[in-house]
Amino acid sequence: MEVKKLDLIIRNAKLRNKEGLWDIGVEKGKIKAIANHLEAKAAEEIDANGKLTVPSFIDPHIHLDKVNIVEVVRPNVTGTLKEAIEIIWDKKARYTIEDIVERAGDVIRRGVLNGTTRMRTHVDVDTIGGLKPLEGVIAAKNKFKDIMDIETIAFPQEGIIKDPGCEKLMWEAMGMGADIVGGMPANENTPDDSRKHVEICFDIAEKYNADVDMHVDETDDPFYRTLEILADETIKRGWQGRVTAGHTCALAAYDDHYAGYVIEKVKKAGINMITNPVTNLVLQGRNDKQPIRRGITRVKELLAAGVTVSFGQDCVKDTFYPFGSADMLQVALVTAHAAQMTLPHEIEKVFDMITCDAAKILRLENYGLEEGKDADIVILDALTINDAIRLQPSRLYVIKGGKVIAKNEYKRELTI
Ligand code: FE2
């Protein structure tokens, strides 16, 4: 009998929640077979040596248009979100497509080296930068399409009602090819305007049959209650399961009674939540004396209510956050600390958030280490999920669409 020839076989892989070691056969970009031993041959074979092999990571919330600008703008002295937004105005008015592709490209390549092969990026749409940021990010998306899948969100960072002309640009952004309708309803002058902001975003989403992914209540001021507005509008428009709320820091500032009521609405509306601890740990609580609040949303309560939660890198070297290396394992480590997820099942959940749960939020149908799914895979120099987060190990191989797109091995040794 003829031995089957595949494009790639990963041998001796350790898989999550499965005893023993496994061979993974890949053909035409898909996982063709997973078995204890595949008799088949392949054009390329990788020995995973018993190391943990998982689906490649997803970063569901990043701002590729703003990355790597910290050195060319003045420092954020107050450390607040407000100042972070304002400092960028000058730079944003002068963006060029080449500049955006170069800055975003650095982060995309770093992301790949760190095992991420899909990003969902917010892109500013406003009367300061016009559609230039989106043009730049779409150019980067096309340039790096073989190594990173990128979804773009039209994001009205400066408000819609507050920024006359923005609504027209939002419509144009979707016409230009943005995938998802963003929003920032708390960045309006009144609650009525916040409500109008949300309605406009849903009008656009309905017209383009697009999902919605908004920045919601990124403040620790409990006055801001746009998450509830978003939940109500989601139900009214029948958009359940298609809406994501990012940041939602104010949810942590509400009293428990109102927070519980909103979480119930979020669950009913099928809203997905994305917390961004790396940024919000440094941006929020800046006006607190002591104790200084953490500023991140109610992760455990949302999980307990059955809401899908993930987290993103959000920022890399910008006015909001001076660090970041497009490494979802680093963000996972910070999130585990910030959300106090330290029990074995909670650590596993943190890992779900950058893999299967993020895929759920992005509504990916072909994601996962299973037969028939996309061969987007990373082999970690670790044996357990805890070690993957704790030790930040080498991403030995990164595979996208069945092709090896990165290899890494950090070597460290004691000399005595
Ligand atoms: Fe964000």
Side-chain angles (χ1 to χ4, degrees):
M1 200 178 101
E2 204 187 324
V3 178
K4 181 127 184 69
K5 188 106 191 284
L6 297 169
D7 298 328
L8 171 72
I9 297 177
I10 302 167
R11 299 216 182 262
N12 306 311
K14 182 174 163 56
L15 304 181
R16 274 184 93 183
N17 308 318
K18 269 189 159 183
E19 288 297 318
L21 298 181
W22 298 82
D23 290 353
I24 304 163
V26 173
E27 193 180 52
K28 294 190 180 123
K30 301 277 181 195
I31 298 172
K32 181 79 180 165
I34 300 177
N36 283 119
H37 180 73
L38 284 176
E39 282 301 333
K41 288 196 176 342
E44 185 173 9
E45 293 211 4
I46 294 172
D47 188 354
N49 268 317
K51 297 296 172 71
L52 188 60
T53 302
V54 294
S56 55
F57 305 139
I58 297 169
D59 182 350
H61 186 123
I62 191 164
H63 296 257
L64 285 176
D65 53 328
K66 296 189 179 99
V67 294
N68 289 336
I69 55 169
V70 78
E71 281 111 355
V72 297
V73 293
R74 71 169 174 79
N76 183 349
V77 179
T78 60
T80 59
L81 176 71
K82 185 174 179 292
E83 188 174 345
I85 291 173
E86 291 171 2
I87 299 168
I88 293 184
W89 289 345
D90 267 357
K91 171 75 180 162
K92 185 153 65 176
R94 289 180 287 110
Y95 280 163
T96 65
I97 291 173
E98 297 71 32
D99 161 49
I100 295 168
V101 171
E102 195 186 321
R103 290 185 289 100
D106 169 72
V107 170
I108 291 165
R109 284 191 294 264
R110 268 176 213 283
V112 171
L113 287 169
N114 290 322
T116 297
T117 61
R118 179 173 281 266
M119 290 175 168
R120 180 185 267 192
T121 180
H122 297 256
V123 186
D124 285 14
V125 172
D126 51 55
T127 58
I128 299 167
L131 295 171
K132 188 75 80 182
L134 185 60
E135 281 177 59
V137 172
I138 289 176
K141 169 180 172 164
N142 292 334
K143 181 171 178 183
F144 296 101
K145 66 179 187 322
D146 293 335
I147 59 171
M148 185 71 77
D149 293 317
I150 296 176
E151 294 178 20
T152 55
I153 304 173
F155 171 46
Q157 166 85 90
E158 314 292 340
I160 297 179
I161 316 299
K162 214 168 101 172
D163 182 23
C166 177
E167 182 183 346
K168 184 169 172 279
L169 290 169
M170 285 288 287
W171 285 96
E172 285 172 14
M174 294 304 291
M176 236 174 86
D179 302 299
I180 292 154
V181 181
M184 193 176 186
N187 194 11
E188 296 290 358
N189 290 325
T190 67
D192 283 345
D193 284 355
S194 295
R195 192 175 297 277
K196 268 188 223 146
H197 179 123
V198 170
E199 286 168 359
I200 289 168
C201 293
F202 273 91
D203 288 346
I204 300 171
E206 279 184 346
K207 173 76 172 42
Y208 283 92
N209 190 21
D211 288 3
V212 171
D213 189 334
M214 292 195 188
H215 279 58
V216 180
D217 303 329
E218 190 177 359
T219 167
D220 35 33
D221 183 344
F223 170 81
Y224 291 92
R225 297 185 163 198
T226 68
L227 183 55
E228 190 186 349
I229 294 174
L230 180 67
D232 287 340
E233 198 65 21
T234 300
I235 294 168
K236 192 172 146 197
R237 306 278 185 141
W239 237 240
Q240 290 95 329
R242 304 188 63 178
V243 176
T244 299
H247 296 282
T248 65
C249 312
L251 181 61
Y254 301 154
D255 65 61
D256 287 343
H257 178 73
Y258 180 62
Y261 167 79
V262 174
I263 289 171
E264 227 171 83
K265 273 201 176 181
V266 164
K267 171 68 182 160
K268 200 169 147 214
I271 290 179
N272 305 303
M273 302 287 273
I274 294 183
T275 184
N276 295 299
V278 290
T279 314
N280 289 128
L281 276 172
V282 301
L283 282 183
Q284 305 304 316
R286 286 281 179 163
N287 296 319
D288 292 346
K289 296 294 175 201
Q290 293 293 350
I292 297 171
R293 290 171 292 171
R294 289 167 188 243
I296 76 155
T297 199
R298 297 183 182 233
V299 175
K300 284 191 188 181
E301 285 159 75
L302 288 161
L303 289 172
V307 175
T308 304
V309 183
S310 180
F311 53 84
Q313 169 71 72
D314 197 19
C315 302
V316 175
K317 281 179 66 185
D318 59 20
T319 52
F320 303 75
Y321 182 66
F323 310 116
S325 55
D327 183 350
M328 293 310 287
L329 286 180
Q330 184 186 77
V331 187
L333 183 63
V334 174
T335 302
H337 285 75
Q340 297 185 324
M341 295 179 75
T342 50
L343 292 173
H345 74 276
E346 291 171 337
I347 295 167
E348 295 280 333
K349 190 66 190 167
V350 168
F351 199 84
D352 287 347
M353 290 177 176
I354 55 171
T355 52
C356 50
D357 288 349
K360 225 159 122 188
I361 292 175
L362 270 55
R363 302 204 294 140
L364 305 179
E365 285 170 4
N366 293 311
Y367 181 87
L369 238 173
E370 289 167 34
E371 289 174 6
K373 305 288 186 186
D374 290 339
D376 296 343
I377 298 166
V378 54
I379 304 174
L380 304 170
D381 189 9
L383 298 178
T384 65
I385 295 298
N386 188 335
D387 278 355
I389 296 174
R390 181 179 70 95
L391 299 174
Q392 309 279 294
S394 297
R395 322 304 135 93
L396 297 168
Y397 291 89
V398 183
I399 294 152
K400 182 175 185 305
K403 289 196 179 68
V404 176
I405 57 168
K407 288 184 195 178
N408 302 281
E409 194 166 2
Y410 322 136
K411 280 205 165 38
R412 300 195 304 166
E413 54 185 315
L414 289 173
T415 53
I416 55 166

